[in-house]
Amino acid sequence: MEKKKDALAALRAYADKKPSRSEGAEEAARLTGRLYGAEGTARGRGALALARRPALLALLAAALVLTAALLFAFFYGGGQKEPMYFEDSSIYTETIEDIGQFQQENGLSLSLFEGDFLGSKYTAVRYIEDGRLLYVRQTAAALTEEGPDTITLSICISEGRFPGFNVFTQLDQTMQVGGIEAAYGQDSVDENTFYAKFTAGGFAYCLKLVTFGDAQALESYIAQLL
């Protein structure tokens, strides 16, 4: 009887302390054991388990939400897809007779070589399946003190990988021209051939230059487009 009185006094003292939920549950289990013996201890442990259940449920819910988020990101995430490769057999070329009218009809404002260039010709490359405009190409020549330069400029209108463009993904040098960075490189076989790629006005410009000059000549041609 005295033990129960002591336990009841301890319970009152414990209630006055206002312990935390987890500490309170453990203390309640101990005091219940003192009051009611082994059966009370079992009841106290049951109360402790009930007190811990909300925390366990919260952890489980958080784990489920995290798993769902990871699965969603894996299957529907915004990871970049590999650009579509257009085979030679899937594209066709059309001659552009009037480049000004062509740009107006297609809502374009492209930077092209103008002025003292000889024999400028323009072509449009489209996707056979839907007629989508893939890129516009200009070929021209220029007379310099060192000799004639041959220029092939391709302006990518649609995103994708096109036949003959692989060389522009392997350029290992850069230069700053007119506030933009251009990647460039020299042909491994023909030292008179240079390649450059840069972005301007939202389009990728791919330039092939055959010249008797050097990389400075390439820089000069890029500057004319900016």
Side-chain angles (χ1 to χ4, degrees):
M1 188 65 180
E2 290 297 327
K3 289 183 178 180
K4 288 190 176 183
K5 289 182 178 180
D6 293 341
L8 288 172
L11 279 173
R12 294 192 188 97
Y14 151 76
D16 292 337
K17 292 179 182 178
K18 296 182 180 179
S20 65
R21 179 178 294 180
S22 60
E23 293 174 346
E26 293 174 358
E27 184 66 17
R30 287 195 294 270
L31 294 176
T32 304
R34 290 172 59 185
L35 279 171
Y36 301 105
E39 181 181 356
T41 302
R43 292 178 182 175
R45 288 174 180 168
L48 177 60
L50 288 174
R52 289 177 173 173
R53 184 174 297 175
L56 292 174
L57 290 176
L59 288 174
L60 180 59
L64 289 174
V65 170
L66 179 60
T67 302
L70 291 174
L71 289 173
F72 182 86
F74 180 80
F75 289 105
Y76 304 102
Q80 293 186 349
K81 296 181 180 179
E82 185 72 16
M84 178 178 177
Y85 180 75
F86 294 86
E87 300 281 353
D88 278 319
S89 58
S90 69
I91 61 178
Y92 69 94
T93 301
E94 60 184 22
T95 301
I96 301 174
E97 300 293 345
D98 186 331
I99 187 62
Q101 181 180 347
F102 176 85
Q103 291 201 76
Q104 185 176 5
E105 291 174 350
N106 289 274
L108 299 173
S109 181
L110 306 176
S111 295
L112 300 164
F113 290 109
E114 300 174 347
D116 298 330
F117 288 89
L118 306 175
S120 281
K121 294 182 179 180
Y122 304 93
T123 54
V125 178
R126 296 183 180 274
Y127 185 36
I128 291 176
E129 185 172 318
D130 56 14
R132 185 192 328 167
L133 180 60
L134 300 180
Y135 59 90
V136 174
R137 173 166 287 171
Q138 177 187 15
T139 57
L143 296 178
T144 69
E145 294 180 356
E146 291 81 9
D149 289 347
T150 301
I151 299 165
T152 303
L153 175 65
S154 301
I155 308 171
C156 301
I157 309 301
S158 298
E159 185 178 359
R161 296 162 55 218
F162 311 118
F165 281 66
N166 189 53
V167 64
F168 294 104
T169 67
Q170 302 173 353
L171 306 177
D172 56 2
Q173 301 180 72
T174 60
M175 64 171 66
Q176 295 289 330
V177 186
I180 64 102
E181 182 176 87
Y184 78 98
Q186 190 172 14
D187 193 276
S188 59
V189 177
D190 183 1
E191 63 180 11
N192 292 324
T193 300
F194 292 86
Y195 301 93
K197 181 179 181 180
F198 60 93
T199 300
F203 299 114
Y205 285 71
C206 300
L207 175 62
K208 176 183 177 181
L209 171 66
V210 181
T211 179
F212 288 98
D214 53 18
Q216 288 186 344
L218 179 67
E219 180 180 353
S220 173
Y221 283 112
I222 294 174
Q224 294 182 53
L225 296 170
L226 301 176

